[in-house]
């Protein structure tokens, strides 16, 4: 850490991890409701648990990215943050608004919530990920504006590296892409078409730029590889992301009422969408091999190298599996999508957030790396979480396969609930894997409470003795 | 750069052996002083090997500026195509979903559908949550009377079975919801879902 103002990242990272824990708890509840439908009913119906799970995901990822921006932008710009105070105030507003949203889901019936927050004047509620009441959506825009103002002013007065330009540019894109949340046409097909501007625009476009910028920053810092090389790679990766991803949005338009030409366009372009993830793997391992220093923060390196691999698996491979129109004809709206969603959100976006936290938190706490013991806990958490998330994805893939075989592609198709009963074993597997993930998360969080920093002398002595 | 190389006072630097595979003949002499060791590592590990080849390398052929221009140019180009396609799609959608048949009852049903978070459990044309059946074609699958009776009879209260809350709709609201579901069932979704079970 070079600048005092980078410290405002701490509350963002801590808040993000706390919300992450909450997200997993709601995920476990929702997963259990697949097995026992009357669990917590009517106090917590499935839709509330489900949207708390997904909304917390979005909020904690955004919070972690904001913390990352407050950490990276000053360091890259070689200057103090424009206004640390504004960043801190924004954090508390964001956290309060996020908590209020979840509490309002839990304690106010959704239709009542819509009625008291002025949804009738400007309908925005009732779409996946965008369930927030109108005032909260306005609040999200204000928080984003505050972030953008702060990082852009910092960028203007400081050094303009490519990493900083890509990061700040993609934060602008993130905010702009949220604006269609206020556009909810009465025509359901148009509404679905426009909903993907936000969802696809974020997770298959803009967030990949954020992912690239964060990973590039971590790799420059940890490997000491020449900035020019890293930034050139980054531009190629983000170029491939948008070249394949913009028209690739067509894979959401096959069967939702849009014209049939999207079937061809979406199939062709989204078939290229794994390429940026393959490049990301090549890039990070090339940088690892070309490293010119051994950074003592092994845990951060593990996250940084795990991210592109898991992102490729979840976003690239699992995404490719359901993206081609003939395959999606049977897989659309089944647990195949849920499997892809889990693995991609975790593998790409949660893991890069945890990577930057892993790199930055020790520095923010005044040490170059955590003690070897703390890193062992962190790396154990990494492996448990990664493996159990693969378990969740495989279980959901199994459940999706049951739907395809018995309901979608069967000669004598069964009804939805009959098929869900047949898939019970996979829902059990998913729940167990989810529990394992929760344990992994606790192990990971435990690493933050182990005192001490990385001691070169002690580690050397140990290595020699062994 | 070249001018500097000619005019600058020659600085004595250690020759890099770390990428050549040869052993540095002076390595032991240099280890005498810690300062020298530090210098040696600083020189060997903080610099890229200087290419002796006269051929232009990858660094010069494909520059960062070119990569950036591909990124910016490619994004703008495909965004323009997307916007043009979206304009065309916008003209076609009202024909494909019979927007002229969106009566006040349909719109009122849609508002109830959204503000009760139906896609929090169900899917609508495959989008939503995967906890409960598809609603895009439920009108064709079940018919209006069954749908109304079903919504009114919730929750079933059968232990262990997935529960749907009771939303306390009145008769008009039920009719509006059914009108919306009927409208949904006529959208041209390129023959999806594969069968009536959704």
């Amino acid at each position: 850490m070079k600048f005092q103002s980078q410290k405002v990242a701490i509350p963002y990272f801590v808040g993000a991890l706390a919300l992450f824990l909450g997200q997993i708890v709601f995920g476990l509840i929702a997963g259990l409701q697949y097995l026992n439908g009357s669990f917590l009913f009517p106090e917590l119906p499935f839709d509330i648990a489900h949207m708390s799970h997904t909304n917390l995901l979005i909020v904690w990822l955004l919070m972690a990215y904001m913390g990352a921006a407050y950490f990276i932008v000053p360091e890259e710009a070689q200057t103090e943050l424009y206004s640390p105070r504004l960043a801190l105030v924004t954090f508390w507003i964001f956290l309060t608004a996020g908590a209020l949203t979840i509490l309002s889901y839990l304690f106010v019936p959704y239709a009542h919530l819509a009625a008291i927050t002025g949804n009738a004047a400007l309908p925005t509620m009732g779409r996946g990920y965008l369930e927030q009441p109108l005032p909260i959506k306005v609040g999200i825009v204000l928080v984003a504006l505050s972030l953008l103002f702060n990082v852009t002013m910092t960028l203007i007065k400081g050094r303009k590296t490519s990493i900083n330009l890509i990061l700040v540019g993609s934060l602008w894109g993130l905010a702009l892409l949220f604006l269609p949340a206020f556009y909810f046409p009465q025509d359901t097909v148009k509404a679905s078409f426009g909903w993907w501007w936000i969802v696809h625009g974020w997770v298959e476009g803009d967030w990949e730029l954020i992912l690239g910028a964060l990973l590039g920053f971590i790799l420059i810092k940890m490997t000491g590889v020449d900035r020019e090389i890293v930034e050139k790679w980054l531009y190629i990766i983000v170029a491939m992301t948008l070249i394949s991803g913009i028209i690739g949005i067509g894979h959401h338009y096959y069967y939702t009422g849009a014209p049939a030409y999207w079937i061809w366009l979406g199939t062709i372009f989204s078939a290229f969408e794994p390429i940026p993830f393959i490049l990301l793997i090549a890039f990070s391992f090339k940088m690892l091999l070309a490293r010119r220093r051994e950074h003592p923060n092994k845990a951060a390196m593990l996250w940084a190298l795990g991210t592109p691999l898991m992102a490729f698996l979840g976003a690239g491979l699992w995404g490719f599996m359901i993206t081609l129109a003939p395959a999606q004809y049977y897989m659309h709206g089944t647990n195949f999508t849920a499997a892809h969603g889990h693995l991609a959100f975790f593998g790409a976006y949660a893991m890069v957030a945890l990577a930057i936290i892993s790199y930055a938190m020790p520095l923010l706490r005044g040490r170059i790396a955590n003690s070897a013991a703390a890193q062992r806990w962190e790396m154990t958490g990494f492996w448990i979480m990664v493996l159990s998330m693969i378990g969740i994805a495989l279980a959901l893939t199994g459940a999706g396969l049951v739907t395809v075989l018995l309901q979608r592609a069967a000669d004598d198709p069964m009804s939805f609930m009959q098929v869900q009963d047949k898939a019970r074993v996979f829902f059990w597997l998913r729940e167990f894997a989810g529990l394992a993930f929760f344990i992994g998360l606790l192990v990971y969080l435990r690493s933050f409470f182990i005192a001490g920093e990385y001691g070169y002398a002690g580690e050397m002595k140990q290595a020699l003795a062994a | 750069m070249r001018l500097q190389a000619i005019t600058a006072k020659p600085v004595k630097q250690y020759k890099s052996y770390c990428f050549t595979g040869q052993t540095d003949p002076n390595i032991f002499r240099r280890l005498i002083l810690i300062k020298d060791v530090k210098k040696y590592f600083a020189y060997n590990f903080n610099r890229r090997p200087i290419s002796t080849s006269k051929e232009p390398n990858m660094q010069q052929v494909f520059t960062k500026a070119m990569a950036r221009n591909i990124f910016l140019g490619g994004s703008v180009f495909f965004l323009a195509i997307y916007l043009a396609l979206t304009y065309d799609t916008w003209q076609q959608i009202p024909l494909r979903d019979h927007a002229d048949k969106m009566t006040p009852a349909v719109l009122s049903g849609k508002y109830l559908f959204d503000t009760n978070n139906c896609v929090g459990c169900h899917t609508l044309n495959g989008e939503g949550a995967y906890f409960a059946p598809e609603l895009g074609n439920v009108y064709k699958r079940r018919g209006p009377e069954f749908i109304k009776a079903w919504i009114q009879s919730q929750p079933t209260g059968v232990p262990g079975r997935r529960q749907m809350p009771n939303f306390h709709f009145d008769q008009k609201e039920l009719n509006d919801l059914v009108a919306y579901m009927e409208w949904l069932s006529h959208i041209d979704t390129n023959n999806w879902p594969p069968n009536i079970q959704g």
Side-chain angles (χ1 to χ4, degrees):
Chain A
M1 192 187 68
K2 290 184 182 138
F3 299 95
Q4 276 307 309
S5 54
Q6 287 177 287
K7 279 217 158 95
V8 295
I10 295 177
Y12 280 90
F13 289 153
V14 174
L17 291 176
L19 296 176
F20 184 23
L21 192 67
Q23 187 214 344
I24 304 310
V25 171
F26 282 110
L28 288 174
I29 293 172
L32 199 56
Q33 286 174 330
Y34 267 85
L35 293 156
N36 178 359
S38 42
F39 177 64
L40 287 186
F41 188 89
E43 291 76 24
L44 184 63
F46 173 82
D47 69 311
I48 303 297
H50 170 254
M51 74 186 185
S52 302
H53 179 65
T54 56
N55 282 214
L56 278 169
L57 166 72
I58 303 297
V59 174
W60 89 257
L61 287 181
L62 288 181
M63 199 172 266
Y65 295 159
M66 290 170 79
Y70 290 130
F71 181 82
I72 293 174
V73 172
E75 181 146 344
E76 285 285 295
Q78 298 283 323
T79 173
E80 292 285 352
L81 190 66
Y82 182 77
S83 170
R85 183 184 298 248
L86 178 66
L88 206 59
V89 171
T90 308
F91 166 76
W92 286 109
I93 293 175
F94 193 31
L95 186 72
T96 315
L100 265 180
T101 311
I102 301 300
L103 289 176
S104 68
Y105 291 164
L106 294 178
F107 296 109
V108 185
Y110 196 69
H112 187 56
L113 189 62
I116 59 175
T117 54
N119 189 61
L122 178 64
T124 61
M125 291 169 73
R127 294 200 272 181
Y129 302 111
L130 303 176
E131 295 94 345
Q132 309 83 22
L134 187 60
I136 297 292
K137 286 200 181 85
V138 174
I140 292 173
V141 172
L142 293 178
V143 165
L145 282 177
S146 155
L147 165 85
L148 291 176
F149 172 72
N150 220 341
V151 292
T152 308
M153 292 306 281
T154 312
L155 184 67
I156 285 172
K157 69 172 178 161
R159 189 172 63 141
K160 291 152 194 73
T161 65
S162 297
I163 292 213
N164 243 359
L165 290 172
I166 293 175
L167 180 60
V168 175
S170 55
L171 290 172
W172 273 96
L174 186 152
L176 286 176
L177 283 167
F178 183 71
L179 294 181
F182 295 96
Y183 174 64
F184 191 0
Q186 290 184 315
D187 187 322
T188 301
V189 177
K190 282 183 180 173
S192 154
F193 193 90
W195 181 69
W196 288 111
W197 296 334
I198 309 162
V199 180
H200 179 94
W202 272 12
V203 301
E204 291 175 68
D206 195 77
W207 286 19
E208 284 184 41
L209 272 55
I210 297 180
L211 166 79
L214 298 192
L215 208 57
F217 174 81
I218 297 171
L219 288 172
I220 285 182
K221 292 289 165 184
M222 297 196 67
T223 63
V225 171
D226 191 352
R227 174 179 289 277
E228 285 292 305
I229 300 175
V230 170
E231 292 181 339
K232 186 160 73 182
W233 267 97
L234 265 187
Y235 274 126
I236 299 168
I237 291 167
V238 296
M240 277 317 296
T241 298
L242 294 186
I243 288 171
S244 65
I246 291 177
I247 307 292
I249 195 175
H251 61 204
H252 302 294
Y253 297 159
Y254 300 158
Y255 308 118
T256 54
Y261 54 72
W262 286 109
I263 288 181
W264 285 102
L265 288 169
T267 299
I268 291 166
F269 278 87
S270 62
F272 293 109
E273 278 190 48
I275 290 176
F277 291 102
I278 295 171
L279 289 176
L280 213 54
I281 295 178
F283 158 65
S284 31
F285 280 83
K286 220 173 144 65
M287 296 306 108
L288 175 75
L289 294 176
R291 71 187 179 279
R292 277 186 275 120
R293 67 168 80 107
E294 294 292 342
H295 199 284
N297 195 343
K298 303 280 179 241
M301 203 65 199
L302 184 63
W303 284 110
L305 295 174
T307 301
L309 281 172
M310 289 294 287
F312 170 70
L313 206 61
L317 209 60
W318 251 257
F320 186 79
M321 186 165 68
I322 57 177
T323 199
L324 304 181
Q328 201 187 102
Y329 186 65
Y330 296 107
M331 295 172 170
H332 180 49
T334 65
N335 278 305
F336 274 107
T337 312
H340 158 62
H342 277 82
L343 206 53
F345 261 118
F346 177 73
Y349 301 123
M351 278 181 71
V352 79
L354 297 176
I356 189 73
I357 290 174
S358 180
Y359 171 73
M361 265 316 252
L363 295 170
L364 291 166
R365 296 166 87 188
R367 49 181 90 145
I368 186 148
N370 288 325
S371 66
Q375 289 195 40
R376 271 197 293 277
W377 276 89
E378 187 175 346
M379 292 196 278
T380 311
F382 168 94
W383 284 110
I384 301 178
M385 282 197 276
V386 164
L387 292 175
S388 47
M389 186 49 82
I390 292 175
I392 290 177
L394 287 173
L396 288 171
T397 304
L401 198 61
V402 171
T403 302
V404 167
L405 292 178
L406 298 181
Q407 183 184 332
R408 289 284 172 75
D411 292 331
D412 186 18
M414 287 184 181
S415 77
F416 180 88
M417 280 313 296
Q418 279 177 307
V419 175
Q420 296 292 304
D421 274 340
K422 301 275 182 200
R424 273 183 85 81
V425 59
F426 292 111
F427 293 133
W428 272 115
L429 286 175
R430 184 262 297 268
E431 190 66 8
F432 283 125
L435 268 176
F437 187 93
F438 184 65
I439 292 166
L441 178 58
L442 293 180
V443 168
Y444 165 78
L445 292 175
R446 169 81 176 87
S447 73
F448 286 87
F449 297 96
I450 293 171
E453 62 183 291
Y454 191 87
Y456 285 94
E459 296 309 321
M460 192 64 80
K461 210 181 277 175
Q462 246 183 9
L464 289 174
Chain B
M1 202 58 205
R2 179 166 296 171
L3 191 70
Q4 203 185 12
I6 297 165
T7 55
K9 206 174 153 195
V11 182
K12 192 168 179 291
Q13 282 182 329
Y14 296 125
K15 191 184 168 201
S16 167
Y17 283 88
C18 70
F19 296 100
T20 58
Q22 293 168 266
T23 315
D24 182 352
N26 292 324
I27 188 160
F28 292 109
R29 213 180 65 198
R30 287 192 188 129
L31 283 172
I32 294 168
L33 289 171
I34 301 275
K35 198 174 72 183
D36 277 351
V37 179
K38 273 187 181 164
K39 250 189 208 167
Y40 181 82
F41 277 99
Y43 183 75
N44 278 334
F45 293 103
N46 291 341
R47 277 168 142 263
R48 259 181 302 127
I50 295 149
S51 170
T52 51
S53 159
K54 292 279 192 301
E55 298 280 310
N57 58 19
M58 214 36 207
Q59 201 74 15
Q60 291 145 346
V61 173
F62 187 72
T63 61
K64 188 172 92 178
M66 289 161 87
R68 187 192 59 216
N69 292 343
I70 292 174
F71 163 59
L72 293 174
S75 312
V76 170
F77 177 72
F78 283 104
L79 197 61
I81 292 181
Y82 178 73
L83 290 176
L85 289 167
T86 299
Y87 178 79
D88 180 68
T89 299
W90 229 242
Q91 315 302 313
Q92 292 201 36
I93 284 176
L95 307 173
R96 295 173 61 90
D97 66 8
H98 313 285
D100 54 319
K101 298 215 170 65
M102 290 197 298
T103 59
V106 170
L107 295 180
S108 151
K110 177 193 161 33
Y111 190 76
L112 290 171
F113 188 93
D114 293 331
T115 50
N116 286 288
N117 198 27
C118 296
V119 290
C121 295
H122 294 271
T123 48
L124 170 52
N125 291 335
E127 290 169 357
Y130 315 124
F131 193 69
E134 165 68 33
L135 295 181
N137 67 347
V138 70
Y139 186 86
K140 287 182 178 162
R141 183 166 67 243
R142 298 294 194 182
E145 293 315 313
F146 181 94
I147 294 172
K148 283 193 260 186
W150 180 263
I151 293 174
Q152 281 179 303
S153 66
Q154 298 304 311
T156 59
V158 178
R161 197 181 195 285
R162 294 183 193 176
Q163 299 296 315
M164 172 167 155
N166 194 306
F167 296 102
H168 308 290
F169 294 127
D170 60 31
Q171 208 56 44
K172 182 196 173 291
E173 289 173 326
L174 286 171
N175 288 333
D176 291 348
L177 271 171
V178 167
Y180 178 55
M181 286 171 190
E182 184 183 5
W183 178 80
L184 287 176
S185 70
H186 294 301
I187 296 173
D188 179 356
T189 53
N190 297 326
N191 284 324
W192 193 88
N195 61 61
I196 195 70
Q197 295 296 351

